[in-house]
Amino acid sequence: GTYTGSITLTADGAGNSPLTIGVTLVVSSTALLVVSPGALVFDVTAGSGGSAAQSVSLTSTDPTVLSFTVNSSTSSGGSWLLVGPLSGSTPSNLGVSVNAAGLAAGTYAGSITVAAGTAANSPQTIAVTLRVAPAATMAASPATLSFTQTSGGAAPAPASVAITSSGGAVSFTVSATTTSGGTWLSVTPSGGTTPVTLSVLASGGGLPPGTYNGTITVVSAGATNSPLNLPVSLVVGAALSSSASSLTFNFQLGGATPAAQTVSLSASAATALTFTATAAAGSGTWLSVSPTGGATPATLSVAVNPAGLAAATYDGTVTIAATGAVNSPLVINVRLVVAAAPVLPFISAVVNAASFQPSSVSAGQIVSLFGTTIGPATAALLRVTSGVFDTIIGETRVLFDGIAAPMIYASNRQVSAIVPYNLAGRLNTQLQVEFQGVRSNTIQLRVVDAAPGIFTIDSSGTGQGAILNTNFSVNSPANPTARGSVVMIYATGEGQTNPAGSDGLVTGSVLRRPLQNVTVTIGGVAAEVLYAGSAPGLVSGVLQVNARVADAVAAGNSVPVVVTIGGVASQGGVTMAVR
């Protein structure tokens, strides 16, 4: 009889658990037909045609010989199933194959029926599945390759080629062949599976000038467009070279036309190449080149004519073409920068930097200049090099009779500097500011022996003076000094000194005294002057006066202070606090 059973597989976490396997046991008193295997699967690619045959074994369960007949059928796709022999006796083997010609990609079902009349389990059916995969098509990117190499020069850089396939990955082999010039073409790797990137090298060292052709061939049994051929060309010849790959001309409106620039043109391997040179401006006709043709070696003259152009940046090219040059045409980029006419610095006022009052100037005096475009938009502060103030900061200089003055401060509207000591003894001086190489209007100033001014706390020229008490604290209404005490008053404009002043020098151990007599009044009462000279640690031109406050001075928060040098008094309105 026939007996059935099952095997059940259970696995936690499996989406198809439990899985049941049916088992059939046939017990017979007569011979049974045994078919193995009971199912067949064929995998082919669309367009590939037939497939390799598979074998089905037909036997019986005892020595009894069974006669059989075979029939086949398909459910779709036509008569793609092939089987033989169609009859015979056990034991025997059936040969089964498929012909997928004309079939579209998809899955097709068929069956083979084997009948043995005396067998209790006859007939037996063999399920056949045909899976037709989409046809693979290879593609190369780029599809062609072109190399250039200077005769006798280094080989060009390898090129990369991407090999891909639609319809699934395919295995392939690749080879390189040439039609002339020997084995100048190579490729790696020599095989693999798509997708892959090939490295193609062309090396024409030793080849005479000319054009050489070759082919990269990709072969794949699984691709419908196999073999895939990639044409490769190698041009070996002379190369143009120029002494410059780009040129820049700068022109300022109202200025002189920039001078022409020269470019040397040559060819490799001492080859003379005939060339043409063409100038093209992006806008207008401001660019020219000469000569416009000739043979290498040659010198080209590139010129610009900015007449009529507005302030802007203009771009153009000079193109050199030479038949037979592997790098023709050779392009030289040309840029013309047209700048607006400069805005001249203008000095509107010159004042004593302490009093902020217009005055004549004296040697060593600190002055402030006011105007427009006399310095940088962002203020620049003093710099000290080897103990001396620099004479240029923020691209700004102050010139007295052409002599550069030590600089303290520079901005677009205010500049502060120190009058050079060389001006001592002169009657007049010509003052200019130079910013970014452009000089301002000229101011004529009278030079005097002394032009004193007292520095004030708020830098206004009036009010609380820049004065220290005996204990070096800052004098103020909240910190007055006592009558009979010594105060230190800071000023400028004392004139020439002994020893002679040194421009921009930071005062050290050598103290310089004014040549002119120095007196002080505090509250209208003469003060004893204990010291008058350069201020240690500060720049030459800053005057320190140590004076004793007379007992007769009336106390107050705004006691007037006046410093007189050589008979010239400092500004009025400077005060100090006395208790």
Side-chain angles (χ1 to χ4, degrees):
T2 300
Y3 305 87
T4 60
S6 64
I7 299 171
T8 301
L9 305 179
T10 303
D12 292 339
N16 61 340
S17 177
L19 178 66
T20 300
I21 304 169
V23 182
T24 301
L25 170 64
V26 178
V27 180
S28 174
S29 59
T30 59
L32 297 175
L33 178 63
V34 178
V35 177
S36 179
L40 299 174
V41 177
F42 291 87
D43 287 299
V44 298
T45 301
S48 63
S51 68
Q54 298 187 42
S55 179
V56 176
S57 171
L58 302 180
T59 60
S60 64
T61 56
D62 64 24
T64 302
V65 175
L66 298 175
S67 297
F68 64 84
T69 58
V70 177
N71 288 297
S72 64
S73 63
T74 61
S75 60
S76 60
S79 302
W80 50 264
L81 180 58
L82 307 175
V83 61
L86 298 180
S87 63
S89 300
T90 61
S92 182
N93 290 322
L94 299 181
V96 183
S97 61
V98 298
N99 181 7
L103 293 180
T107 301
Y108 301 86
S111 63
I112 300 172
T113 301
V114 182
T118 60
N121 63 337
S122 177
Q124 291 290 301
T125 300
I126 304 166
V128 181
T129 301
L130 170 60
R131 296 183 298 204
V132 181
T137 302
M138 292 188 297
S141 179
T144 61
L145 294 175
S146 178
F147 296 91
T148 59
Q149 182 173 353
T150 303
S151 181
S160 297
V161 178
I163 303 296
T164 57
S165 59
S166 60
V170 295
S171 59
F172 67 90
T173 59
V174 62
S175 60
T177 58
T178 60
T179 58
S180 61
T183 57
W184 52 266
L185 182 62
S186 61
V187 60
T188 55
S190 59
T193 302
T194 59
V196 73
T197 298
L198 305 179
S199 178
V200 181
L201 176 64
S203 180
L207 292 178
T211 300
Y212 301 86
N213 296 308
T215 305
I216 300 297
T217 302
V218 183
V219 178
S220 174
T224 58
N225 61 335
S226 178
L228 179 65
N229 294 315
L230 286 71
V232 182
S233 66
L234 170 65
V235 178
V236 178
L240 283 169
S241 62
S242 63
S243 58
S245 59
S246 63
L247 300 173
T248 299
F249 293 85
N250 292 287
F251 172 71
Q252 192 168 62
L253 292 177
T257 298
Q261 298 186 41
T262 58
V263 177
S264 298
L265 190 64
S266 60
S268 62
T271 302
L273 293 175
T274 301
F275 69 89
T276 59
T278 306
S283 58
T285 56
W286 52 266
L287 180 62
S288 62
V289 61
S290 64
T292 57
T296 59
T299 298
L300 303 180
S301 177
V302 181
V304 296
N305 181 9
L309 296 179
T313 298
Y314 301 86
D315 291 308
T317 57
V318 172
T319 302
I320 301 121
T323 302
V326 295
N327 60 336
S328 178
L330 184 67
V331 177
I332 300 173
N333 295 310
V334 182
R335 171 163 289 184
L336 170 61
V337 180
V338 179
V343 178
L344 295 178
F346 180 79
I347 303 173
S348 59
V350 180
V351 300
N352 184 304
S355 68
F356 270 76
Q357 294 179 2
S359 69
S360 301
V361 295
S362 63
Q365 179 184 347
I366 301 175
V367 295
S368 289
L369 288 61
F370 295 91
T372 55
T373 322
I374 56 175
T378 300
L381 302 180
L382 62 89
R383 293 193 307 261
V384 179
T385 304
S386 301
V388 177
F389 278 35
D390 289 355
T391 57
I392 181 169
I393 57 174
E395 300 183 272
T396 305
R397 296 197 303 164
V398 174
L399 306 172
F400 291 88
D401 293 339
I403 303 172
M407 298 292 297
I408 296 176
Y409 175 86
S411 68
N412 60 346
R413 293 187 176 276
Q414 180 179 346
V415 172
S416 295
I418 306 171
V419 178
Y421 282 97
N422 282 348
L423 267 63
R426 300 186 187 185
L427 296 178
N428 299 289
T429 184
Q430 305 291 321
L431 171 65
Q432 284 184 298
V433 171
E434 182 183 270
F435 176 55
Q436 294 182 336
V438 181
R439 294 193 179 184
S440 71
N441 57 315
T442 300
I443 300 293
Q444 181 169 298
L445 298 171
R446 183 184 172 196
V447 179
V448 295
D449 292 334
I454 300 174
F455 289 101
T456 57
I457 291 297
D458 62 3
S459 299
S460 67
T462 61
Q464 174 65 49
I467 299 171
L468 299 182
N469 294 332
T470 303
N471 60 1
F472 293 96
S473 62
V474 177
N475 181 271
S476 70
N479 186 35
T481 191
R483 285 170 287 193
S485 65
V486 177
V487 294
M488 289 159 274
I489 306 166
Y490 291 89
T492 188
E494 74 274 22
Q496 187 57 278
T497 61
N498 182 26
S502 180
D503 292 345
L505 179 68
V506 176
T507 299
S509 59
V510 178
L511 302 179
R512 292 170 166 80
R513 307 297 181 97
L515 296 179
Q516 307 296 314
N517 183 50
V518 179
T519 62
V520 176
T521 62
I522 300 174
V525 180
E528 179 187 2
V529 176
L530 303 177
Y531 170 80
S534 48
L538 301 181
V539 68
S540 295
V542 175
L543 172 67
Q544 178 180 330
V545 180
N546 296 350
R548 188 182 303 279
V549 181
D551 293 336
V553 173
N557 290 334
S558 300
V559 178
V561 180
V562 177
V563 174
T564 301
I565 303 175
V568 181
S570 63
Q571 80 273 26
V574 178
T575 63
M576 63 176 288
V578 179
R579 70 173 185 273

